[in-house]
Amino acid sequence: MNTSAQIRPQGPGRPKDMEKRAAILIAAKALFIRNAFAGTSMDAIAADAGVSKLTVYSHFGDKDNLFREVIRSRIQDLLPEETYFFDPQVDIRETLLRVALTHAHLDCNAETVGTFRAILSDCRQGNPRYGKLIWEEGATRTHGLMERLLQQAVDAGQLDIDDVPRASMQFLTLIKGNLMMRQMFGCTECPESYSAEIEATARAGVDMFLRAFLPRGHQSAKVRSAP
């Protein structure tokens, strides 16, 4: 039997290709945040990633697709689908608190805010399609996942919500307040107190949401923030 005919050798350079792709994404993310979309060239991305411009194009096609991949990769890394996992055996407050703290810290993070500033800069220069892109990859995706979680909680009898899509938006607004806007405008003098306020706002938002949407039979129990 000719065993060599049955064994397919691994394609040459495959791990190295993935390393190059990761290096390109890292370089692109840093440059897009620093220089916005319009101020970032494929040449600069290739130079920072230590690859040729042809390699960048071969992996991502063009700058629009590369930008989309940067946004998608960052959001999926920081807000994986598991964040919105619903377990009917777990108290709904603990589930919502997990989502709230993850969202609040992410959306008020300096690097995330830098990404939004870069997008707003491009929107101002007449490129609203990039704002729409981040909306599709970020807000639309997370709203969909949040709606699914809330609907599962309603179906399990843990919440009483008539309009789940609207409640999803209300929840994501409550847990962040104006903290992201403060970061956008650079009004966060003390990082330590700001971080504490992020967490306190998220916890208070969960409490307020539950006061509105807990089933009536659960309303007699006072909602308290976990220590």
Side-chain angles (χ1 to χ4, degrees), residues 61-115:
D62 57 29
K63 194 164 75 164
D64 277 21
N65 282 333
L66 174 54
F67 185 71
R68 180 181 288 274
E69 284 300 314
V70 166
I71 298 302
R72 180 183 291 127
S73 174
R74 174 161 175 75
I75 290 171
Q76 290 182 352
D77 284 346
L78 298 177
L79 281 175
E81 192 164 342
E82 292 77 21
T83 303
Y84 308 89
F85 176 72
F86 175 75
D87 183 348
Q89 303 303 316
V90 175
D91 184 78
I92 189 59
R93 185 182 186 284
E94 297 306 313
T95 300
L96 293 179
L97 190 58
R98 179 190 68 233
V99 176
L101 292 175
T102 302
H103 261 280
H105 282 293
L106 169 63
D107 287 350
C108 298
N109 173 274
E111 189 173 332
T112 301
V113 170
T115 302

Coordinates of all heavy atoms in Angstrom, one line a residue, residues 61-115:
G61 N -8.5 42.5 0.5 CA -9.1 43.0 -0.7 C -8.9 44.5 -0.9 O -8.3 45.0 -1.8
D62 N -9.5 45.3 0.0 CA -9.3 46.8 0.0 C -9.5 47.4 1.4 O -9.7 46.6 2.3 CB -10.4 47.4 -1.0 CG -11.8 47.1 -0.6 OD1 -12.1 46.9 0.6 OD2 -12.7 47.0 -1.5
K63 N -9.3 48.7 1.4 CA -9.3 49.3 2.8 C -10.7 49.2 3.5 O -10.7 49.1 4.7 CB -8.8 50.8 2.7 CG -8.5 51.4 4.0 CD -7.6 52.7 3.9 CE -8.5 53.8 3.4 NZ -7.8 55.1 3.7
D64 N -11.7 49.3 2.7 CA -13.1 49.2 3.3 C -13.2 47.9 4.0 O -13.7 47.8 5.1 CB -14.1 49.4 2.2 CG -14.4 50.9 1.9 OD1 -13.6 51.7 2.2 OD2 -15.5 51.2 1.4
N65 N -12.9 46.8 3.3 CA -13.0 45.5 3.9 C -12.1 45.3 5.1 O -12.5 44.6 6.1 CB -12.7 44.4 2.8 CG -13.8 44.2 1.9 OD1 -15.0 44.4 2.2 ND2 -13.5 43.7 0.7
L66 N -10.9 45.8 5.0 CA -10.0 45.7 6.1 C -10.6 46.5 7.4 O -10.5 46.0 8.5 CB -8.6 46.3 5.8 CG -7.6 46.4 6.9 CD1 -7.4 45.1 7.6 CD2 -6.3 47.0 6.3
F67 N -11.1 47.7 7.1 CA -11.7 48.4 8.2 C -12.9 47.6 8.9 O -13.0 47.6 10.1 CB -12.2 49.8 7.7 CG -12.7 50.7 8.8 CD1 -11.8 51.3 9.7 CD2 -14.1 51.0 8.9 CE1 -12.3 52.1 10.7 CE2 -14.5 51.8 9.9 CZ -13.7 52.4 10.8
R68 N -13.7 47.0 8.0 CA -14.8 46.3 8.5 C -14.3 45.1 9.4 O -14.9 44.8 10.4 CB -15.7 45.7 7.4 CG -16.9 44.9 7.8 CD -17.7 44.4 6.6 NE -18.4 45.4 6.0 CZ -19.6 45.8 6.4 NH1 -20.2 45.3 7.4 NH2 -20.2 46.8 5.7
E69 N -13.3 44.4 8.9 CA -12.7 43.3 9.7 C -12.1 43.8 11.0 O -12.2 43.1 12.0 CB -11.6 42.6 8.9 CG -12.2 41.7 7.8 CD -13.1 40.6 8.3 OE1 -12.8 40.0 9.3 OE2 -14.2 40.5 7.8
V70 N -11.5 44.9 11.0 CA -11.0 45.5 12.3 C -12.1 45.7 13.3 O -12.0 45.3 14.5 CB -10.2 46.8 12.0 CG1 -10.0 47.6 13.3 CG2 -8.9 46.5 11.3
I71 N -13.2 46.3 12.8 CA -14.3 46.6 13.7 C -15.0 45.3 14.2 O -15.2 45.1 15.4 CB -15.4 47.5 13.0 CG1 -14.8 48.8 12.6 CG2 -16.6 47.7 13.9 CD1 -14.2 49.6 13.7
R72 N -15.2 44.4 13.2 CA -15.8 43.1 13.6 C -15.0 42.3 14.6 O -15.5 41.8 15.5 CB -16.1 42.3 12.3 CG -16.7 40.9 12.6 CD -16.9 40.1 11.3 NE -17.9 40.7 10.5 CZ -17.6 41.0 9.2 NH1 -16.4 40.8 8.6 NH2 -18.6 41.5 8.4
S73 N -13.7 42.3 14.3 CA -12.8 41.5 15.2 C -12.7 42.1 16.6 O -12.8 41.3 17.6 CB -11.4 41.5 14.6 OG -10.4 40.9 15.4
R74 N -12.7 43.4 16.7 CA -12.6 44.0 18.0 C -13.9 43.8 18.8 O -13.9 43.5 20.0 CB -12.4 45.5 17.9 CG -12.4 46.3 19.2 CD -11.8 47.6 19.2 NE -12.0 48.3 20.4 CZ -11.3 48.0 21.5 NH1 -10.4 47.0 21.6 NH2 -11.5 48.7 22.6
I75 N -15.0 44.0 18.1 CA -16.3 43.8 18.8 C -16.5 42.4 19.3 O -17.0 42.1 20.4 CB -17.5 44.3 17.9 CG1 -17.4 45.8 17.8 CG2 -18.8 43.9 18.5 CD1 -18.3 46.4 16.8
Q76 N -16.2 41.4 18.4 CA -16.4 40.0 18.7 C -15.4 39.6 19.8 O -15.7 38.7 20.6 CB -16.2 39.2 17.5 CG -17.4 39.3 16.5 CD -17.3 38.4 15.3 OE1 -16.3 37.8 15.1 NE2 -18.4 38.4 14.5
D77 N -14.2 40.2 19.9 CA -13.3 39.9 20.9 C -13.7 40.4 22.3 O -13.6 39.7 23.3 CB -11.9 40.4 20.6 CG -11.1 39.6 19.6 OD1 -11.6 38.5 19.3 OD2 -10.1 40.2 19.0
L78 N -14.3 41.6 22.3 CA -14.6 42.3 23.5 C -16.1 42.0 24.0 O -16.4 42.1 25.1 CB -14.4 43.8 23.4 CG -12.9 44.2 23.2 CD1 -12.8 45.7 23.0 CD2 -12.0 43.7 24.3
L79 N -16.9 41.7 23.0 CA -18.3 41.4 23.3 C -18.7 40.1 22.6 O -19.5 40.0 21.7 CB -19.3 42.5 22.8 CG -19.4 43.7 23.7 CD1 -20.3 44.8 23.0 CD2 -19.9 43.4 25.1
P80 N -18.1 39.0 23.0 CA -18.4 37.7 22.4 C -19.9 37.3 22.6 O -20.5 37.8 23.6 CB -17.5 36.7 23.1 CG -17.2 37.3 24.4 CD -17.2 38.8 24.1
E81 N -20.4 36.4 21.8 CA -21.8 36.0 21.9 C -22.1 35.4 23.2 O -23.2 35.5 23.7 CB -22.1 35.1 20.8 CG -23.6 34.8 20.6 CD -24.0 34.2 19.3 OE1 -23.1 34.2 18.3 OE2 -25.1 33.6 19.2
E82 N -21.1 34.8 23.9 CA -21.3 34.2 25.2 C -21.7 35.2 26.2 O -22.3 34.8 27.3 CB -20.0 33.4 25.6 CG -19.7 32.2 24.8 CD -19.0 32.6 23.4 OE1 -18.5 33.7 23.3 OE2 -19.1 31.8 22.5
T83 N -21.4 36.4 26.0 CA -21.8 37.5 27.0 C -23.3 37.5 27.2 O -23.7 37.8 28.3 CB -21.3 38.9 26.5 OG1 -19.9 38.9 26.3 CG2 -21.6 40.0 27.5
Y84 N -24.0 37.1 26.2 CA -25.5 37.2 26.2 C -26.1 35.9 26.5 O -27.3 35.7 26.1 CB -26.0 37.9 24.9 CG -25.3 39.1 24.6 CD1 -24.1 39.1 23.8 CD2 -25.8 40.4 25.0 CE1 -23.5 40.3 23.5 CE2 -25.1 41.5 24.7 CZ -24.0 41.5 23.9 OH -23.3 42.7 23.6
F85 N -25.4 34.9 27.0 CA -25.9 33.6 27.3 C -27.0 33.7 28.4 O -26.8 34.3 29.4 CB -24.8 32.7 27.7 CG -25.3 31.3 28.1 CD1 -25.8 30.4 27.1 CD2 -25.3 30.9 29.4 CE1 -26.2 29.2 27.4 CE2 -25.7 29.6 29.8 CZ -26.2 28.7 28.8
F86 N -28.1 33.1 28.1 CA -29.2 33.0 29.1 C -29.3 31.7 29.7 O -29.4 30.7 29.0 CB -30.6 33.4 28.4 CG -31.7 33.3 29.4 CD1 -31.9 34.2 30.4 CD2 -32.6 32.2 29.3 CE1 -33.0 34.1 31.3 CE2 -33.7 32.1 30.2 CZ -33.9 33.0 31.2
D87 N -29.3 31.6 31.0 CA -29.5 30.3 31.8 C -30.7 30.5 32.7 O -30.7 31.3 33.6 CB -28.2 30.0 32.6 CG -28.3 28.7 33.3 OD1 -29.4 28.1 33.4 OD2 -27.2 28.3 33.8
P88 N -31.7 29.7 32.4 CA -33.0 29.9 33.2 C -32.7 29.5 34.7 O -33.6 29.9 35.5 CB -33.9 28.9 32.5 CG -33.1 28.0 31.8 CD -31.9 28.7 31.3
Q89 N -31.7 28.9 35.0 CA -31.4 28.5 36.4 C -30.7 29.6 37.2 O -30.5 29.5 38.4 CB -30.5 27.2 36.4 CG -31.1 26.0 35.7 CD -32.5 25.7 36.2 OE1 -32.7 25.6 37.4 NE2 -33.4 25.4 35.3
V90 N -30.2 30.6 36.4 CA -29.5 31.7 37.1 C -30.4 32.9 37.2 O -31.2 33.2 36.3 CB -28.3 32.1 36.2 CG1 -27.6 33.4 36.8 CG2 -27.3 31.0 36.1
D91 N -30.4 33.6 38.3 CA -31.2 34.8 38.6 C -31.0 35.8 37.5 O -29.8 36.1 37.1 CB -30.9 35.4 40.0 CG -31.8 36.6 40.3 OD1 -33.0 36.3 40.6 OD2 -31.3 37.7 40.1
I92 N -32.1 36.4 37.0 CA -32.0 37.3 35.8 C -31.1 38.5 36.2 O -30.4 39.1 35.3 CB -33.4 37.7 35.3 CG1 -33.2 38.5 34.0 CG2 -34.1 38.5 36.4 CD1 -32.6 37.7 32.9
R93 N -31.1 38.9 37.4 CA -30.3 40.1 37.8 C -28.8 39.8 37.6 O -28.1 40.7 37.1 CB -30.5 40.5 39.3 CG -29.8 41.7 39.6 CD -29.9 42.1 41.1 NE -29.3 43.4 41.2 CZ -28.0 43.6 41.3 NH1 -27.2 42.6 41.2 NH2 -27.4 44.8 41.4
E94 N -28.3 38.6 37.9 CA -26.9 38.3 37.7 C -26.6 38.2 36.2 O -25.5 38.7 35.8 CB -26.6 36.9 38.3 CG -26.8 36.9 39.9 CD -26.0 38.0 40.5 OE1 -24.8 38.1 40.2 OE2 -26.5 38.7 41.4
T95 N -27.5 37.7 35.4 CA -27.3 37.7 34.0 C -27.2 39.1 33.4 O -26.3 39.4 32.6 CB -28.4 37.0 33.3 OG1 -28.5 35.6 33.8 CG2 -28.2 36.9 31.8
L96 N -28.1 40.0 33.8 CA -28.1 41.4 33.3 C -26.9 42.1 33.8 O -26.4 43.0 33.1 CB -29.4 42.1 33.7 CG -30.7 41.5 33.0 CD1 -31.9 42.3 33.5 CD2 -30.6 41.6 31.5
L97 N -26.5 41.9 35.0 CA -25.4 42.6 35.6 C -24.1 42.2 34.8 O -23.3 43.1 34.6 CB -25.2 42.2 37.1 CG -24.2 43.1 37.8 CD1 -24.5 44.5 37.8 CD2 -24.1 42.6 39.3
R98 N -24.0 40.9 34.4 CA -22.8 40.5 33.6 C -22.8 41.3 32.3 O -21.7 41.8 31.9 CB -22.9 39.0 33.4 CG -21.7 38.5 32.5 CD -22.0 37.1 32.1 NE -23.1 37.0 31.1 CZ -24.1 36.1 31.2 NH1 -24.2 35.4 32.3 NH2 -25.0 36.1 30.3
V99 N -23.9 41.4 31.7 CA -23.9 42.1 30.4 C -23.7 43.6 30.6 O -22.9 44.2 29.9 CB -25.3 41.9 29.7 CG1 -25.4 42.8 28.5 CG2 -25.6 40.5 29.4
A100 N -24.3 44.2 31.7 CA -24.1 45.6 31.9 C -22.7 46.0 32.2 O -22.2 47.0 31.6 CB -25.0 46.0 33.1
L101 N -22.0 45.3 33.1 CA -20.6 45.6 33.4 C -19.7 45.5 32.2 O -18.8 46.3 32.0 CB -20.2 44.8 34.6 CG -20.9 45.0 35.9 CD1 -20.4 44.1 37.0 CD2 -20.6 46.5 36.4
T102 N -19.9 44.4 31.4 CA -19.1 44.2 30.2 C -19.3 45.4 29.2 O -18.3 46.0 28.8 CB -19.5 42.9 29.5 OG1 -19.3 41.8 30.4 CG2 -18.6 42.7 28.3
H103 N -20.6 45.7 29.0 CA -20.9 46.8 28.1 C -20.3 48.2 28.6 O -19.7 48.9 27.8 CB -22.4 47.0 27.9 CG -22.9 46.3 26.6 ND1 -22.8 46.9 25.4 CD2 -23.4 45.1 26.4 CE1 -23.3 46.1 24.5 NE2 -23.7 45.0 25.1
A104 N -20.6 48.5 29.8 CA -20.2 49.8 30.4 C -18.7 50.0 30.3 O -18.3 51.1 29.9 CB -20.8 49.9 31.8
H105 N -18.0 49.0 30.7 CA -16.5 49.2 30.7 C -16.0 49.2 29.3 O -15.0 50.0 29.0 CB -15.8 48.0 31.5 CG -15.9 48.2 33.0 ND1 -15.2 49.2 33.7 CD2 -16.6 47.5 33.9 CE1 -15.5 49.1 34.9 NE2 -16.3 48.1 35.1
L106 N -16.6 48.5 28.4 CA -16.1 48.5 27.0 C -16.4 49.9 26.3 O -15.5 50.5 25.8 CB -16.8 47.4 26.2 CG -16.6 47.4 24.7 CD1 -15.1 47.3 24.3 CD2 -17.4 46.4 24.0
D107 N -17.6 50.3 26.5 CA -18.0 51.5 25.7 C -17.4 52.8 26.3 O -17.4 53.8 25.7 CB -19.5 51.7 25.7 CG -20.2 50.7 24.8 OD1 -19.5 50.0 24.0 OD2 -21.4 50.5 24.8
C108 N -16.9 52.7 27.6 CA -16.2 53.9 28.2 C -14.7 53.7 28.2 O -14.0 54.5 28.7 CB -16.8 54.1 29.6 SG -18.5 54.4 29.7
N109 N -14.3 52.7 27.5 CA -12.8 52.4 27.4 C -12.2 53.4 26.4 O -12.8 53.8 25.4 CB -12.6 51.0 26.9 CG -11.2 50.7 26.5 OD1 -10.7 50.9 25.4 ND2 -10.5 50.1 27.5
A110 N -11.0 53.9 26.8 CA -10.3 54.9 26.0 C -10.1 54.5 24.5 O -10.2 55.3 23.6 CB -9.0 55.3 26.6
E111 N -9.7 53.2 24.3 CA -9.5 52.8 23.0 C -10.8 52.7 22.2 O -10.8 53.1 21.0 CB -8.8 51.4 23.0 CG -8.3 50.9 21.7 CD -7.5 49.6 21.7 OE1 -6.9 49.3 22.8 OE2 -7.5 48.9 20.8
T112 N -11.8 52.3 22.8 CA -13.1 52.2 22.1 C -13.6 53.7 21.7 O -14.0 53.9 20.6 CB -14.2 51.6 23.0 OG1 -13.8 50.3 23.3 CG2 -15.5 51.5 22.3
V113 N -13.4 54.6 22.7 CA -13.8 56.0 22.4 C -12.9 56.5 21.3 O -13.4 57.3 20.4 CB -13.6 56.8 23.7 CG1 -13.7 58.3 23.4 CG2 -14.7 56.4 24.7
G114 N -11.6 56.1 21.3 CA -10.7 56.6 20.2 C -11.2 56.1 18.8 O -11.2 56.8 17.8
T115 N -11.8 54.9 18.8 CA -12.3 54.4 17.5 C -13.5 55.2 17.1 O -13.7 55.5 15.9 CB -12.8 52.9 17.7 OG1 -11.6 52.1 18.1 CG2 -13.3 52.3 16.4

